Amino acid sequence: SCGFDRAWFKYLSWTEIKEQVDKGEISVRFVVLTDCSSTAEVNSDYTAIIVVAIDSLGRVTVVDYQREKMQTYQFVERIFSVFDKWLPEFVVRQKAPLETAIMPFINEKNRKRSEQGERIVAFYDFSLGKRAKQDRMMALQPYFPQRRIYFDRNCKHIEELETEIIQFPNNQTNDDGMDALSEICDENVSRKPIHYK
């Protein structure tokens, strides 16, 4: 079957991961995944922002998930606040027209940050290639039975993300979180950090 099995869902809290990091057992890197809707109109898609912690054991844990209808400027503000909270290696952006359109705003904010000696937000371009959206999401499937994807139950909206995954491919009007999560199928995005004991 091409669906996702509820039994595949595994849980790990950021608190547990952090304990392992503090004990020197693992290393972790953060990446922000995004799927940005073009408008905040009533009938528009939601915008999804997912923070994943990728550890040296190869686990990818969703530690933050934000999903709401946002205007473009709100999306930019949110990216910066998420960046400052988690200090990720980069923010993944899909090479879509909208993501390209917001770059001038982001570059301007980064320029001001740089002048103030603050860390600038780095981006990684995720090429959608010629693959259909459904195929990209389908590529996520092997990660689940291989126990590579975990969810922090304390995340707001995490149940919505799970429902979205379980209903796939029958509910494609509501798949922004899954679309963002599928970016981990890129090797550079899901690269596990080297752990030095």
Side-chain angles (χ1 to χ4, degrees):
S1 99
C2 64
F4 287 73
D5 190 333
R6 164 64 77 188
W8 292 344
F9 285 76
K10 301 290 167 210
Y11 300 93
L12 188 62
S13 72
W14 165 234
T15 317
E16 291 171 272
I17 298 170
K18 191 170 181 312
E19 277 173 13
Q20 292 180 307
V21 171
D22 293 344
K23 286 180 189 162
E25 295 169 356
I26 59 168
S27 298
V28 72
R29 58 185 278 267
F30 297 98
V31 172
V32 178
L33 314 172
T34 62
D35 180 39
C36 179
S37 157
S38 50
T39 58
E41 302 306 318
V42 178
N43 58 353
S44 74
D45 282 343
Y46 282 84
T47 288
I49 300 173
I50 295 177
V51 181
V52 288
I54 300 150
D55 65 46
S56 44
L57 300 175
R59 299 175 301 192
V60 176
T61 307
V62 175
V63 291
D64 194 348
Y65 177 44
Q66 306 193 18
R67 176 183 185 270
E68 55 195 82
K69 298 197 175 193
M70 299 180 203
Q71 297 282 3
T72 311
Y73 73 90
Q74 291 170 311
F75 174 66
V76 173
E77 291 295 333
R78 192 67 59 86
I79 288 293
F80 278 84
S81 68
V82 165
F83 187 88
D84 287 338
K85 178 179 176 184
W86 294 98
L87 300 177
E89 186 176 320
F90 51 67
V91 174
V92 180
R93 65 182 180 126
Q94 298 182 354
K95 279 188 178 169
L98 179 79
E99 271 80 349
T100 309
I102 62 174
M103 285 318 286
F105 299 102
I106 285 173
N107 292 339
E108 177 60 20
K109 264 182 100 68
N110 266 340
R111 189 183 61 77
K112 288 180 179 158
R113 284 167 78 99
S114 179
E115 284 170 3
Q116 290 161 359
E118 294 173 21
R119 191 175 158 178
I120 65 166
V121 176
F123 285 85
Y124 175 71
D125 283 336
F126 177 78
S127 173
L128 301 176
K130 301 264 186 288
R131 286 181 310 156
K133 190 172 181 179
Q134 189 169 344
D135 294 342
R136 294 201 312 272
M137 294 185 200
M138 207 51 239
L140 264 175
Q141 195 189 33
Y143 284 73
F144 282 84
Q146 290 168 9
R147 300 189 168 197
R148 289 179 63 192
I149 295 189
Y150 291 78
F151 297 90
D152 185 338
R153 287 187 198 272
N154 305 313
C155 276
K156 195 174 159 191
H157 305 304
I158 203 75
E159 286 168 11
E160 292 169 39
L161 181 58
E162 289 188 7
T163 303
E164 216 177 284
I165 294 168
I166 291 204
Q167 289 177 350
F168 180 84
N170 306 316
N171 176 12
Q172 289 180 33
T173 50
N174 180 15
D175 56 13
D176 29 84
M178 204 170 165
D179 194 19
L181 190 60
S182 71
E183 293 162 0
I184 65 158
C185 300
D186 178 292
E187 286 174 8
N188 195 30
V189 175
S190 62
R191 188 182 75 252
K192 62 182 185 184
I194 296 168
H195 181 57
Y196 298 100
K197 288 200 169 52

